[in-house]
């Protein structure tokens, strides 16, 4: 069995419980300080991953609210545009003007 395989097994057994780093070091031919260091590094990796996963969950939980707010903003903007277009149409009818530019109109 290779070094990296033994190391992985020692870490896995430690997290499974029921043993110590000293016993695992003897079983796999490592010093207990090495096993303890590997376990500490693995705990740190797991903690960082859990923090990252928690931040991702928080972002995902916040998204529906943000999406709904953006959808409402879009709805209001569309209503505003419709209102402005209606005002232009009413003004054109009442005053006999043509406020909207015609396609192809050029200025000299």
């Amino acid at each position: 069995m290779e070094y990296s395989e033994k190391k992985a097994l020692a870490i896995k057994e430690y997290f499974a419980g029921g043993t110590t780093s000293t016993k695992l070091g003897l079983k796999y031919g490592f010093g207990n300080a090495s096993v303890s260091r590997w376990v500490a590094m693995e705990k740190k990796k797991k903690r960082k991953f859990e923090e990252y996963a928690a931040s991702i969950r928080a972002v995902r939980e916040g998204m529906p609210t943000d999406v709904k707010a953006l959808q409402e903003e879009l709805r209001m903007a569309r209503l505003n545009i419709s209102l402005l277009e209606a005002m232009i149409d009413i003004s054109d009818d009442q005053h006999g003007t043509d406020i909207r530019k015609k396609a192809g109109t050029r200025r000299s």
Side-chain angles (χ1 to χ4, degrees):
M1 190 179 313
E2 289 185 27
Y3 174 86
S4 59
E5 292 173 315
K6 288 182 189 180
K7 178 181 171 182
L9 284 173
I11 293 169
K12 185 177 179 180
E13 280 187 46
Y14 183 90
F15 282 112
T19 190
T20 65
S21 58
T22 303
K23 288 179 184 177
L24 290 169
L26 291 172
K27 180 178 178 180
Y28 291 103
F30 301 122
N32 69 322
S34 295
V35 176
S36 294
R37 187 174 61 253
W38 298 332
V39 167
M41 288 170 49
E42 199 63 30
K43 284 181 182 178
K44 186 176 180 181
K45 283 182 195 176
K46 285 183 179 185
R47 189 171 45 251
K48 282 186 176 184
F49 176 78
E50 288 168 1
E51 289 170 0
Y52 174 74
S55 69
I56 294 295
R57 279 191 299 276
V59 167
R60 285 186 179 164
E61 288 171 5
M63 283 182 84
T65 305
D66 293 343
V67 170
K68 287 179 183 177
L70 290 171
Q71 286 173 335
E72 179 61 18
E73 247 182 88
L74 178 60
R75 186 182 77 79
M76 293 302 290
R78 287 179 174 163
L79 284 173
N80 194 26
I81 290 168
S82 295
L83 176 64
L84 293 171
E85 287 178 350
M87 289 171 60
I88 290 171
D89 292 340
I90 292 168
S91 176
D92 283 347
D93 289 344
Q94 288 179 354
H95 301 289
T97 59
D98 190 17
I99 296 174
R100 288 190 182 93
K101 286 186 175 181
K102 303 276 188 221
T105 303
R106 295 185 184 182
R107 290 187 176 180
S108 299

